[in-house]
Amino acid sequence: MIVRKYYQSIYLFCCRRLNGDPDTAADITQDVFLKLLENIQSVRKIGKFQNYLLTIAVNTCNNYTKKAKPLYMDLETLEDIEDTDNAFEKIELNELKAQIQYAINTLPDYQKEVIILRFYYDLKIREIATITKVSVSTVKSRLQQGIKKLERYLADFRGGDNV
C-alpha cells in the first residue's frame, strides 16, 4: 500500500534528480523502498511520511551520483502535458519544459535538489532543510543561487528576454 501511494512521487524526484535517466531512477526508487523496509522498525511518525521517503531518496541519489556520472536524457515521458486545442501551444509548452529541465540539469546537485523539492514538491524551506540535512539559511542560499542561475540560463535561451 505504501509503495502504491508514494512510488510515482519518489520515482519522479529520482528521475529529475538524476537528469532524466528513467532506468536508474527506477532502480534508485526501488532501493528507497527496500531501505524503508529494512528500517521499518525504526520509522517514527514525525512529520509527513513523504518527507521521510524523500530524505531516503535524496541520500540514495547522492550516494549514486558520488559513484557514477548520470546520463542526460529527454524527459518528455515524465509528465503528461495538459490537453490543449492548439498543437502549437503544446509544442511550445513541450519545448519550454525541456529547456527548464535541461537548465535544472545544469545546476550543481545540491542546488538541483533544493529546486526540485521546492517547486515540484512544494515543500517549505524548513522541510527541505530537514530532508537534505542542512541549515535553513543554506537551503535559502542554494534556492536563491539556483533560481538566479536558471533565470540567466533561460534568458540566454530566449535571446535575452525576461523569463
Side-chain angles (χ1 to χ4, degrees):
M1 188 167 66
I2 290 173
V3 173
R4 256 186 261 128
K5 183 173 181 178
Y6 295 104
Y7 183 89
Q8 187 69 11
S9 177
I10 299 302
Y11 170 78
L12 287 173
F13 170 80
C14 292
C15 202
R16 288 179 180 114
R17 174 62 177 75
L18 298 169
N19 302 328
D21 182 349
D23 295 329
T24 304
D27 290 343
I28 299 291
T29 301
Q30 188 173 25
D31 286 348
V32 168
F33 286 102
L34 287 173
K35 287 177 183 179
L36 173 67
L37 286 175
E38 290 169 358
N39 300 301
I40 196 77
Q41 72 281 356
S42 64
V43 174
R44 295 173 294 157
K45 183 65 175 146
I46 302 174
K48 296 178 184 173
F49 187 71
Q50 181 177 0
N51 290 1
Y52 179 77
L53 285 175
L54 283 168
T55 300
I56 297 171
V58 164
N59 293 333
T60 307
C61 287
N62 285 341
N63 290 339
Y64 173 78
T65 56
K66 286 177 187 173
K67 294 176 186 174
K69 215 48 172 163
L71 299 173
Y72 286 85
M73 301 185 83
D74 187 17
L75 293 181
E76 288 181 23
T77 58
L78 272 183
E79 295 181 41
D80 292 331
I81 295 182
E82 293 180 20
D83 288 330
T84 63
D85 294 333
N86 189 334
F88 184 71
E89 286 178 16
K90 201 172 190 179
I91 291 169
E92 281 186 329
L93 186 57
N94 272 333
E95 288 177 1
L96 180 59
K97 282 185 175 188
Q99 282 302 316
I100 290 169
Q101 187 59 54
Y102 185 81
I104 290 171
N105 291 347
T106 65
L107 294 174
D109 289 341
Y110 59 90
Q111 289 174 351
K112 186 187 313 181
E113 264 171 14
V114 172
I115 294 287
I116 292 168
L117 291 171
R118 178 68 186 104
F119 295 107
Y120 286 92
Y121 290 86
D122 200 29
L123 296 180
K124 294 177 175 48
I125 302 292
R126 189 167 303 283
E127 292 173 314
I128 296 169
T130 301
I131 289 169
T132 58
K133 297 180 177 121
V134 297
S135 70
V136 169
S137 59
T138 299
V139 171
K140 287 179 181 178
S141 173
R142 290 176 179 178
L143 187 60
Q144 185 179 32
Q145 290 171 0
I147 289 170
K148 285 182 181 178
K149 287 179 184 178
L150 291 175
E151 286 174 345
R152 281 193 305 267
Y153 177 87
L154 293 171
D156 289 344
F157 171 72
R158 299 183 117 202
D161 293 343
N162 288 334
V163 179

